[in-house]
Amino acid sequence: MARPRDLLDVTTIYHEPAVPDFSRGREILDRFPEAERIVVPSHWNIPSLHGNAGSVEDWVRIKRSTLVLGVKKGLAMRPNGRSAHFIAPSTSNGCAMACAYCYVPRRKGFANPISVFVNVEAIAAAIVRHASRQGPLGTPDTIDPALWVYDLGENGDLSVDAMVSDTVRDLVALFRDIPNAKASFATKAVNRDLLAYDPQGKTRIRFSLMPERIARIVDVRTAPIPERIAAIDDFVAAGYEVHLNFSPVILYPGWEADWCALFDAVDGAIGPAARAQLKAEIILLTHNADLHAVNLGWHPKAEDLLWRPDIQEAKVSEGGGANLRYRTGWKGKWLARFKTLLAERMPYCTVRYAF
């Protein structure tokens, strides 16, 4: 586990040549004046960051000390229909954390440190144009009863990105003024600087939760589960809509009791305001054979939980990847059992989406 302020100590910045031409680029470079600056032709093409697949110590060192700055090229919105209506153009990719179950393709080497895009004004303008074309949300749905929802953090964790620049603050402010839309992002960190951003109900933050004893094994370099739970009331009071991601749900002997204990911990920690608006997503574990092979080299204890071929089956993802998921038929039964346990202990917590 790691505290937000322990996640980054930037000593090297790789950046595209145009980065200093942008005010956000200059701001970030000025924020880390002692960092070595290395100009690269592309934020994706950094040969010195490749070849670190075999050593998690290299990953963690690079995640902590390295920052990449670039200019976002594609500004299209992608339909989603699960956590959000649309996936907005990312203002970053990569992550300072190292969760054992994360099978996102590890570009820039396996470390995949944070890359920040500095053309924030163009990204913001694209979101505003897209939202204006949508008009009002015609029919309430499971994503939101009144507004179009744009996911901002598909490729990283905005709570940590906010330590790098003011982009997250700017995005929260942007959605305050878009009348028919709200922002959304999931996080495994607790950055209390965000409490001062004044979202006015137009940003949804989704705290990812799992049983504490399991998180200690698989949620590498993230905020402790009790700290995430303790933050819920404070973020609601600060004007955020706060939902929960029960994700990933990992099945093992005793999982039911562990999740019941987590539900009880949340129930005992939050007040009426949080309960009145609380909703959740439930996402059962998806694993990957290639990630399994990598994890065996540095974290085999995690694979005791994640790699369960006796109850998993191969399935091609929407993106074409070869993944492992819990077996069809049984997965539905386990998901139904999870929902029943949640309803028994937190009946006020509506399930928005389950997979």
Side-chain angles (χ1 to χ4, degrees):
M1 297 289 183
R3 305 278 177 180
R5 299 302 179 190
D6 298 329
L7 287 173
L8 292 174
D9 181 17
V10 176
T11 59
T12 303
I13 298 176
Y14 295 92
H15 68 86
E16 294 177 349
V19 162
D21 297 337
F22 293 84
S23 60
R24 183 53 36 88
R26 294 190 296 273
E27 170 201 319
I28 297 172
L29 292 172
D30 290 344
R31 184 168 293 194
F32 303 101
E34 303 301 320
E36 179 185 9
R37 302 179 186 182
I38 302 173
V39 178
V40 292
S42 167
H43 63 90
W44 281 131
N45 185 17
I46 306 176
S48 59
L49 289 183
H50 293 285
N52 54 54
S55 172
V56 71
E57 290 79 10
D58 282 347
W59 301 0
V60 172
R61 176 184 57 79
I62 293 169
K63 283 175 175 291
R64 179 177 172 79
S65 65
T66 302
L67 184 63
V68 180
L69 305 180
V71 179
K72 180 75 172 177
K73 306 302 189 294
L75 300 179
M77 313 289 151
R78 291 190 289 110
N80 179 248
R82 294 179 175 179
S83 292
H85 295 105
F86 303 103
I87 306 296
S90 298
T91 54
S92 69
N93 65 52
C95 187
M97 304 173 196
C99 297
Y101 47 80
C102 182
Y103 63 93
V104 174
R106 297 179 187 273
R107 307 200 190 196
K108 302 186 294 291
F110 275 67
N112 199 18
I114 295 174
S115 293
V116 173
F117 299 118
V118 299
N119 53 330
V120 181
E121 293 85 356
I123 295 171
I127 294 171
V128 170
R129 287 194 301 270
H130 188 272
S132 68
R133 291 195 296 268
Q134 303 312 306
L137 179 67
T139 304
D141 57 27
T142 57
I143 298 172
D144 197 79
L147 299 172
W148 298 104
V149 178
Y150 290 75
D151 193 295
L152 303 180
E154 180 188 35
N155 297 314
D157 192 305
L158 268 64
S159 294
V160 181
D161 292 351
M163 298 170 55
V164 175
S165 76
D166 287 337
T167 293
V168 178
R169 182 191 293 271
D170 292 345
L171 290 170
V172 171
L174 177 76
F175 277 89
R176 279 201 306 262
D177 297 327
I178 301 178
N180 63 334
K182 69 171 58 169
S184 179
F185 65 91
T187 185
K188 297 172 189 172
V190 177
N191 183 348
R192 290 184 171 271
D193 290 348
L194 273 64
L195 295 173
Y197 287 6
D198 189 26
Q200 298 180 15
K202 298 296 294 299
T203 293
R204 173 185 297 165
I205 186 168
R206 303 172 347 251
F207 283 108
S208 295
L209 298 179
M210 68 170 62
E212 182 180 3
R213 76 179 184 94
I214 303 303
R216 287 175 178 171
I217 299 171
V218 300
D219 263 13
V220 182
R221 304 194 84 227
T222 65
I225 295 295
E227 185 177 339
R228 300 183 216 176
I229 295 172
I232 294 171
D233 272 2
D234 292 338
F235 275 78
V236 171
Y240 288 92
E241 181 182 37
V242 177
H243 288 185
L244 302 178
N245 278 9
F246 297 126
S247 169
V249 177
I250 301 168
L251 302 178
Y252 53 89
W255 69 268
E256 292 166 300
D258 284 354
W259 278 98
C260 287
L262 176 69
F263 299 150
D264 290 343
V266 175
D267 182 65
I270 63 175
R275 294 180 186 218
Q277 54 86 74
L278 196 67
K279 296 182 181 180
E281 299 177 9
I282 305 169
I283 305 174
L284 270 68
L285 172 73
T286 297
H287 201 28
N288 178 285
D290 291 338
L291 177 61
H292 169 64
V294 171
N295 282 352
L296 288 176
W298 75 277
H299 199 3
K301 188 176 181 180
E303 286 305 298
D304 292 340
L305 291 165
L306 304 177
W307 185 257
R308 290 291 308 275
D310 55 321
I311 59 174
Q312 292 168 329
E313 63 183 5
K315 186 171 182 178
V316 177
S317 70
E318 291 182 358
N323 297 325
L324 289 174
R325 294 174 180 171
Y326 294 120
R327 291 182 181 175
T328 303
W330 281 107
K331 178 180 177 180
K333 294 177 182 178
W334 288 321
L335 185 56
R337 178 59 176 158
F338 188 99
K339 290 181 179 179
T340 297
L341 296 174
L342 175 62
E344 289 173 354
R345 284 162 172 80
M346 298 172 60
Y348 48 85
C349 183
T350 301
V351 176
R352 251 192 335 97
Y353 166 70
F355 177 73

